[in-house]
Amino acid sequence: MSTLSLVYRKAKLFGELVMFSHTLFSLPFAVISMVWAAHGIPSGRTMLWGVIALVAARNGANAFNRVADMTFDAMNPRTAQRHMPRQLLKSREVLIFVAVNYAIFIGASAMLNLLCFVLSPVAIFLISSYSYTKRFTFLSHLYLGFVIASAPIGAWFAVTGHFAFTPFVLGTVVMLWIAGFDVIYGTQDIEFDRTVGLWSIPSYFGLTNALWIAKGLHAVMVLLLVFLYFWQGLDWLYLLGIAIAVLLLLTEHNLIKPTNRRLMKIASYNLNQVISMTILAFTLADYFLL
């Protein structure tokens, strides 16, 4: 195998490992936050280093999670074919990948401003510690949402260099949204989690209650999106985008069938990628066209 082919193969494996396409969950909200913070289009420099920081942090955290969960993934029939249990990638090289991405994240944060640089080690601790929360609390879904909420909050810091109210509301939207569909995703592993002693809302409260909790989280998310309509002084295009997102969320909840892996992938991942891009498109259209 040529060096170029080997590099391509490794890059493909790492891309699959960290599910690079799922960057669409957090990136759209980070872009919205940047635009609102800048009252328009941020500078090219801020956009560049902001996106680099976000992608590097996300890749590092996802790869770290794969190493931390390797033993459980190997035991779970649903996840036994992932890269780490199959030893397609070794723990050592994945940890090197984590270290490189975290270093890039710190460097990109330093290129943005002092606040981002100072907070970068805190962010690394938060996004890495998520991997262990499912060992002791069913609130792990909310913690996952909390750490992903750092994307729009950090994006605001990247532009302004200071704290504000709006990014924390937008971050809470992301937290509730992520937690809601992570609860849905977790319904596939109720029996496994109970057997091995992992904590989740589905394993703790049962399937029916878990699905109601997921609906409640998404309902509050929508209310906060409506609040932002008034708080930011937005117009009808933004509300249209939120209405479409609500229809997609309702479709997501109607699709749920824990025994059907294909439907669960559509409900937990595919539809939510469309939701985030819909909110982004209509928010930007509202902001710049009306």
Side-chain angles (χ1 to χ4, degrees):
M1 183 181 292
S2 68
T3 302
L4 186 60
S5 297
L6 181 62
V7 170
Y8 172 77
R9 179 176 175 273
K10 284 291 185 181
K12 185 172 183 292
L13 287 172
F14 276 111
E16 293 168 350
L17 178 81
V18 301
M19 297 181 290
F20 187 76
S21 63
H22 293 179
T23 305
L24 289 179
F25 291 143
S26 55
L27 183 59
F29 290 96
V31 172
I32 291 171
S33 185
M34 279 187 167
V35 168
W36 285 352
H39 302 289
I41 300 175
S43 69
R45 180 180 181 278
T46 299
M47 288 288 286
L48 173 65
W49 289 113
V51 170
I52 290 174
L54 185 149
V55 172
R58 186 202 168 280
N59 286 348
N62 271 27
F64 182 82
N65 183 61
R66 289 291 178 257
V67 175
D69 280 354
M70 181 170 56
T71 302
F72 293 114
D73 284 346
M75 296 165 59
N76 187 344
R78 185 181 63 80
T79 58
Q81 294 304 307
R82 286 179 175 173
H83 294 64
M84 300 297 291
R86 292 168 60 196
Q87 297 187 332
L88 297 177
L89 291 166
K90 299 184 183 301
S91 297
R92 180 175 176 274
E93 58 187 344
V94 174
L95 288 173
I96 291 173
F97 177 82
V98 171
V100 169
N101 274 276
Y102 282 169
I104 292 172
F105 169 64
I106 293 173
S109 299
M111 295 299 294
L112 288 165
N113 53 57
L114 180 60
L115 178 62
C116 290
F117 176 64
V118 169
L119 290 177
S120 59
V122 178
I124 288 174
F125 170 77
L126 292 175
I127 61 181
S128 301
S129 58
Y130 155 71
S131 302
Y132 299 99
T133 55
K134 65 192 76 173
R135 288 149 169 85
F136 61 87
T137 177
F138 59 76
L139 296 176
S140 56
H141 313 277
L142 282 164
Y143 193 84
L144 174 64
F146 169 71
V147 298
I148 296 178
S150 63
I153 296 171
W156 187 283
F157 293 165
V159 173
T160 67
H162 60 73
F163 291 83
F165 176 69
T166 299
F168 285 95
V169 178
L170 193 56
T172 304
V173 167
V174 172
M175 180 184 74
L176 296 170
W177 172 53
I178 296 290
F181 76 73
D182 193 57
V183 169
I184 293 171
Y185 189 74
T187 59
Q188 300 174 95
D189 295 326
I190 291 176
E191 294 308 318
F192 175 79
D193 289 348
R194 287 172 175 169
T195 299
V196 300
L198 290 177
W199 290 67
S200 72
I201 284 176
S203 67
Y204 190 83
F205 292 99
L207 176 62
T208 301
N209 290 331
L211 293 179
W212 276 109
I213 289 170
K215 290 174 183 176
L217 292 170
H218 285 162
V220 179
M221 164 206 169
V222 172
L223 289 175
L224 287 177
L225 285 170
V226 173
F227 169 80
L228 285 170
Y229 164 77
F230 294 102
W231 181 258
Q232 290 294 113
L234 300 169
D235 217 311
W236 66 270
L237 268 177
Y238 173 84
L239 284 182
L240 178 59
I242 301 310
I244 295 172
V246 169
L247 290 176
L248 291 170
L249 281 170
L250 291 173
T251 302
E252 173 183 327
H253 284 275
N254 286 329
L255 276 178
I256 298 167
K257 190 175 182 181
T259 56
N260 188 319
R261 194 170 299 176
R262 185 183 68 84
L263 282 180
M264 294 303 289
K265 182 180 179 183
I266 293 172
S268 297
Y269 290 137
N270 302 95
L271 276 176
N272 283 295
Q273 290 175 332
V274 177
I275 287 170
S276 62
M277 292 304 296
T278 298
I279 293 174
L280 171 65
F282 279 87
T283 300
L284 294 185
D286 186 282
Y287 193 89
F288 289 111
L289 298 180
L290 300 179

